[in-house]
Amino acid sequence: MVGSARLDDAYGYCEGLVRDHDRDRWLADGLLPDDKRRHAFAIHAFSYEAARIRESIHEAMPGEIRLQWWVDAIEGEARGDVAGHPVAAALIDTIHRFSLRRSGFVNLLEARRFDLYDDAMPTLNDLEGYAGETSSVLFLEVAQVLCDGADPKGADAAGHAGVAYAMTGLMRALPIHARRNQVYVPADLLKAAGIEPDDVRHGRKADELVGVVANLRDSATGHLEKALSAFAEIDPRARPAFLPLAFVRPYLATLAKTPVYGPVAEIAAWRKPLILWWFGRRL
C-alpha cells in the first residue's frame, strides 16, 4: 500500500509531466472538478509515458520490455516496487478508486507496440483502430472518473472523439515522425496517390501528400462531428472529459495552411484558454 503523502507526491509528479509534455490536456484537465483533476492527470501521464517509449530507445526490444513492464504493473504481476514509479502508483490508485477497466489500458499498451517499428500504417481502418486504442480509451476512462466510477454512457462519443483527436495529433506530428522513419499516414491512401512510405520518410512528393492529408483532415472532422452528436447520450457529469476536443477544429484549420513536412502546426498559446472556455460553454 502506498502512503498518502507518497501518493500525493505521485499525483503531483503526474501533473508536472502532463503540464510539461501534453500542454493541451493539462489545460483541459485544469478545468475539471478539484477532486477529479489529479486522476485525469494520472491517466494522461500514463498515456505520455507509453507514447514516449519510442523516443527513448534505439531498437525495438527495450521498448517491448518496457511496454510489458507496464502491462504487468497494471495487471498486478510486475515484480519490484511498482509503487516506486509515480505514474504507475497514481494510475493504479485511480483504477482502484473508480473501478476502471484494466483492459483499456492494456489495449493501449498493445497498440503502442506499433510505434516501436518502422512499418507504415497499413490502412485507414487500421489508423482508426490505433487511434481508438490509444486515444478513445483516455476520454472514456476520464469520463468514468467524473461519474465516480459509474458508466458514463459515453462509449460512442469517446470512440469518435479519440479518433478525431489522435488523427489530428498524428497529422501535426507528421514531420517529426517522418524524421524517425515512422509513417502513420495509411499506406493504402498513399498508394492511391502514387506515394510510397519511403517518400514520406525522405520528405518527397509533398504536393501529392497534400491531397492525402486533406482527406485525413476530412475524416477527422467527420469523427469530431459524430462525437459531438453523441453528447446527448452522455451522463452530464462526464462531458468535461471531452474538453480536449476543443482544439481539434483550430488545429485542423492550421494544418490546412501548413506545409505537410513542417513546421508543426500550432495554436497561439494565448488562444488556448479562450478556445477551451468557448467550447466548455457548449458542453
Side-chain angles (χ1 to χ4, degrees):
M1 182 176 292
V2 184
S4 59
R6 190 175 177 187
L7 200 53
D8 287 343
D9 288 342
Y11 278 110
Y13 178 87
C14 290
E15 178 178 0
L17 202 64
V18 179
R19 179 191 64 232
D20 294 342
H21 300 286
D22 195 347
R23 193 77 175 182
D24 292 350
R25 284 194 174 113
W26 178 77
L27 288 169
D29 290 346
L31 298 178
L32 300 181
D34 291 347
D35 61 333
K36 303 297 194 306
R37 191 178 302 148
R38 70 178 192 166
H39 301 292
F41 287 140
I43 291 169
H44 291 145
F46 160 72
S47 174
Y48 170 72
E49 287 280 353
R52 73 169 177 172
I53 289 175
R54 167 69 186 235
E55 302 173 25
S56 62
I57 62 171
H58 298 291
E59 54 186 32
M61 187 52 66
E64 292 277 6
I65 293 170
R66 191 61 182 165
L67 285 172
Q68 189 58 49
W69 182 90
W70 273 105
V71 170
D72 292 344
I74 289 169
E75 293 183 336
E77 299 177 3
R79 297 179 181 180
D81 185 15
V82 173
H85 191 297
V87 178
L91 178 69
I92 291 168
D93 180 67
T94 294
I95 289 172
H96 287 161
R97 287 176 184 269
F98 299 98
S99 302
L100 304 183
R101 298 176 305 114
R102 295 173 189 266
S103 61
F105 297 106
V106 171
N107 290 342
L108 181 152
L109 293 165
E110 294 295 337
R112 285 290 180 189
R113 293 186 190 279
F114 177 85
D115 302 351
L116 306 181
Y117 301 91
D118 292 342
D119 300 326
M121 186 66 68
T123 69
L124 179 58
N125 284 340
D126 290 313
L127 176 60
E128 291 173 333
Y130 171 90
E133 298 288 8
T134 58
S135 183
S136 298
V137 63
L138 305 178
F139 286 101
L140 191 59
E141 302 296 3
V142 173
Q144 187 167 332
V145 166
L146 294 179
C147 291
D148 292 312
D151 180 5
K153 304 185 186 304
D156 190 33
H160 291 295
V163 176
Y165 194 86
M167 286 180 66
T168 301
L170 290 170
M171 282 185 278
R172 292 180 60 225
L174 189 155
I176 298 171
H177 291 148
R179 290 194 292 270
R180 295 182 191 157
N181 292 322
Q182 294 175 283
V183 181
Y184 290 90
V185 181
D188 60 343
L189 301 186
L190 292 175
K191 184 177 180 180
I195 307 170
E196 295 295 330
D198 274 348
D199 291 324
V200 178
R201 295 184 181 105
H202 293 95
R204 299 190 295 249
K205 296 191 176 180
D207 290 343
E208 292 87 340
L209 188 57
V210 166
V212 177
V213 174
N215 288 337
L216 289 177
R217 290 200 309 272
D218 289 343
S219 181
T221 299
H223 283 287
L224 174 63
E225 291 172 351
K226 290 177 181 177
L228 297 176
S229 295
F231 276 10
E233 305 168 10
I234 300 174
D235 185 317
R237 295 174 296 172
R239 290 180 182 177
F242 295 86
L243 280 168
L245 283 181
F247 299 117
V248 171
R249 286 195 198 278
Y251 276 132
L252 291 175
T254 303
L255 278 164
K257 299 179 287 186
T258 303
V260 289
Y261 289 120
V264 174
E266 189 52 272
I267 302 168
W270 66 266
R271 289 186 59 206
K272 291 184 177 182
L274 296 175
I275 290 169
L276 276 172
W277 174 79
W278 179 252
F279 187 82
R281 290 185 63 191
R282 301 167 59 198
L283 285 178

